[in-house]
């Protein structure tokens, strides 16, 4: 694997899933893979889970790990041919090439602007790192995708499913701030490759990019979506159409026990961080059917499987 920024082929996903399951059983058996290798993680945005689980994954492989809050570093220019007399201090051409000399793998977290859809969906930041780095690049959530999250989500569904092809519902939920579409985009991208019956539900105006949603079943009727569901995956995102806008904060979309009662005793999932009693009611997230903590645990095994592969190549 050269870099990890999107969803690989189905066969590759199945191989990665098997690897992650083995790693989870005995994480220390893979210690030799990363000896004398360095993992550099650059965070242009906040993180708790991705940072710690990816660091832990690197350490489990015997790697040396360096994380940097890159938003404190020199402001990086991404535009080709830019006349850099503004507030950017160095070009990604230098930054990526220099960091490549210190790292065997470079992880990048960079959220979208939510202002310029074209630039965000071209993945300006992570694409530039892939272009100018001389080592593999690992997405820690880019403008339009969060593949390590989705891989961990798929691993979690595999572990908790009680039927061969579970009904998995991605439900939009309210949030006070404008959030990226990266998590839902990736979730749909990975679930469409998995063996699940995927249903997406959101209010009018919140449809995801056609590139991601493809032919997945979408309904604006949340209750219909919840009927018979085996997994409810809650997430807020801002509008793709009216790019970055908050069109609704309707509390009727909050995940409540009343709605969960429509499901087939569905497990509740969320990538975290989650706003309690806005996205999901306490009664749901504190119930035995909530598996968000186990889901977050799987971030380590997903990251370790991906890092192992990146190192192997
Ligand atoms: C981010 C998002 O929605 O993309 C990160 C989630 C993993 N969430 C927030 O900013 C709350
Ligand atoms: N789920 C997730 O990526 O969380 P962090 O933003 O804390 O890394």
């Amino acid at each position: 694997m050269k870099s990890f920024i999107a969803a690989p082929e189905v066969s590759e996903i199945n191989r990665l899933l098997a690897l992650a399951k083995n790693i989870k059983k005995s994480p220390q058996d893979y210690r030799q893979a990363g000896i004398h290798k360095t993992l550099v993680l650059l965070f242009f945005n906040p993180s708790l889970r991705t940072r710690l689980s990816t660091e832990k994954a690197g350490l489990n492989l015997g790697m040396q790990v360096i994380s940097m809050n890159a938003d404190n570093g020199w402001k990086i220019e991404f535009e080709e041919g830019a006349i850099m007399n503004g507030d950017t201090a160095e070009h990604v051409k230098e930054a990526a090439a220099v960091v490549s000399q210190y790292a065997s793998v470079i992880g990048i977290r960079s959220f979208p602007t939510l202002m310029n859809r074209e630039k965000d969906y071209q993945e300006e930041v992570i694409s530039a790192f892939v272009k100018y780095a001389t080592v593999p690049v690992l997405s820690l959530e880019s403008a339009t995708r969060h593949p390590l999250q989705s891989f961990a989500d798929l691993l979690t569904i595999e572990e908790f499913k009680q039927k061969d092809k579970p009904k998995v519902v991605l439900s939009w939920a309210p949030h006070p701030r404008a959030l990226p579409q990266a998590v839902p985009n990736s979730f749909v991208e990975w679930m469409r490759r998995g063996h699940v019956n995927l249903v997406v539900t959101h209010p009018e105006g919140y449809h995801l990019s056609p590139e991601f949603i493809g032919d997945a079943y979408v309904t604006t009727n949340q209750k219909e979506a919840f009927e018979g569901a085996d997994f409810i995956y809650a997430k807020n995102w801002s509008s793709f159409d009216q790019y970055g806008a908050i069109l609704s904060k309707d509390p009727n979309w909050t995940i409540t026990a009343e709605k969960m009662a429509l499901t087939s005793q569905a497990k509740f999932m969320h990538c975290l961080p989650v706003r309690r009693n806005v996205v999901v009611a306490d009664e749901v997230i504190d119930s035995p059917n909530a598996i968000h903590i186990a889901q977050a645990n799987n971030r380590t095994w997903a990251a370790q499987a991906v890092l192992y592969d990146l190192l192997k190549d």
Side-chain angles (χ1 to χ4, degrees):
M1 204 189 296
K2 169 78 181 76
S3 281
F4 186 78
I5 54 173
E9 299 298 311
V10 173
S11 59
E12 183 71 353
I13 289 183
N14 288 334
R15 192 184 59 74
L16 278 172
L17 269 175
L19 177 60
K21 285 179 193 169
N22 278 333
I23 286 173
K24 185 170 184 174
K25 272 184 232 148
S26 43
Q28 303 304 331
D29 285 2
Y30 297 78
R31 268 213 165 271
Q32 292 312 310
I35 298 285
H36 307 310
K37 303 280 168 120
T38 304
L39 176 61
V40 172
L41 305 178
L42 302 180
F43 285 87
F44 291 94
N45 306 97
S47 170
L48 183 129
R49 280 143 290 272
T50 306
R51 180 160 179 165
L52 297 179
S53 63
T54 311
E55 286 188 1
K56 185 174 170 191
L59 294 170
N60 282 349
L61 292 170
M63 299 182 86
Q64 304 178 80
V65 182
I66 305 171
S67 290
M68 176 175 174
N69 290 335
D71 53 341
N72 287 340
W74 301 111
K75 193 164 162 52
I76 297 176
E77 178 62 57
F78 290 92
E79 204 178 301
E80 289 287 331
I83 299 169
M84 291 170 52
N85 59 3
D87 63 346
T88 53
E90 76 174 317
H91 203 279
V92 65
K93 289 186 186 184
E94 278 73 47
V98 168
V99 176
S100 296
Q101 299 178 113
Y102 311 147
S104 319
V105 176
I106 304 175
I108 305 281
R109 165 161 286 199
S110 174
F111 287 173
T113 61
L114 293 182
M115 311 279 277
N116 185 332
R117 186 167 96 177
E118 206 183 321
K119 271 193 180 171
D120 287 347
Y121 273 73
Q122 281 170 358
E123 289 285 8
E124 189 186 40
V125 174
I126 202 149
S127 303
F129 273 95
V130 170
K131 187 169 174 190
Y132 295 115
T134 55
V135 297
V137 173
L138 170 63
S139 170
L140 307 172
E141 186 174 348
S142 67
T144 71
R145 289 179 165 100
H146 194 355
L148 282 178
Q149 180 67 53
S150 308
F151 178 20
D153 297 340
L154 190 58
L155 181 60
T156 309
I157 289 169
E158 282 283 313
E159 277 177 0
F160 282 89
K161 73 177 186 187
Q162 280 171 4
K163 53 176 83 133
D164 181 47
K165 194 173 181 187
K167 179 175 178 182
V168 175
V169 178
L170 168 64
S171 179
W172 183 93
H175 195 282
R177 298 181 60 184
L179 297 189
Q181 294 113 30
V183 170
N185 281 346
S186 261
F187 186 73
V188 169
E189 186 174 42
W190 282 68
M191 286 304 131
R192 287 178 61 209
R193 288 164 155 81
H195 189 57
V196 305
N197 168 16
L198 176 68
V199 172
V200 180
T201 184
H202 57 69
E204 295 288 350
Y206 278 99
H207 74 78
L208 294 166
S209 162
E211 158 195 6
F212 289 99
I213 200 77
D215 58 1
Y217 180 71
V218 182
T219 171
T220 54
N221 184 338
Q222 193 189 32
K223 288 195 171 136
E224 175 213 318
F226 273 45
E227 273 163 27
D230 300 298
F231 292 89
I232 299 296
Y233 192 102
K235 183 72 184 87
N236 172 268
W237 61 90
S238 60
S239 176
F240 173 75
D241 252 1
Q242 294 180 50
Y243 193 61
I246 298 175
L247 305 178
S248 169
K249 291 183 185 173
D250 186 356
N252 287 317
W253 278 81
T254 301
I255 314 298
T256 59
E258 195 188 335
K259 283 179 202 163
M260 292 300 283
L262 300 168
T263 69
S264 178
Q265 295 187 316
K267 302 292 185 204
F268 172 82
M269 297 176 73
H270 192 284
C271 65
L272 306 178
V274 71
R275 301 251 183 163
R276 281 172 171 258
N277 302 309
V278 177
V279 170
V280 55
D282 280 345
E283 63 198 12
V284 174
I285 197 165
D286 291 330
S287 81
N289 276 344
I291 57 169
H292 56 299
I293 305 299
Q295 183 185 352
N297 181 28
N298 281 336
R299 294 293 307 275
T300 301
W301 321 121
Q304 197 173 332
V306 170
L307 275 173
Y308 180 80
D309 255 32
L310 290 175
L311 288 169
K312 204 173 49 160
D313 296 346

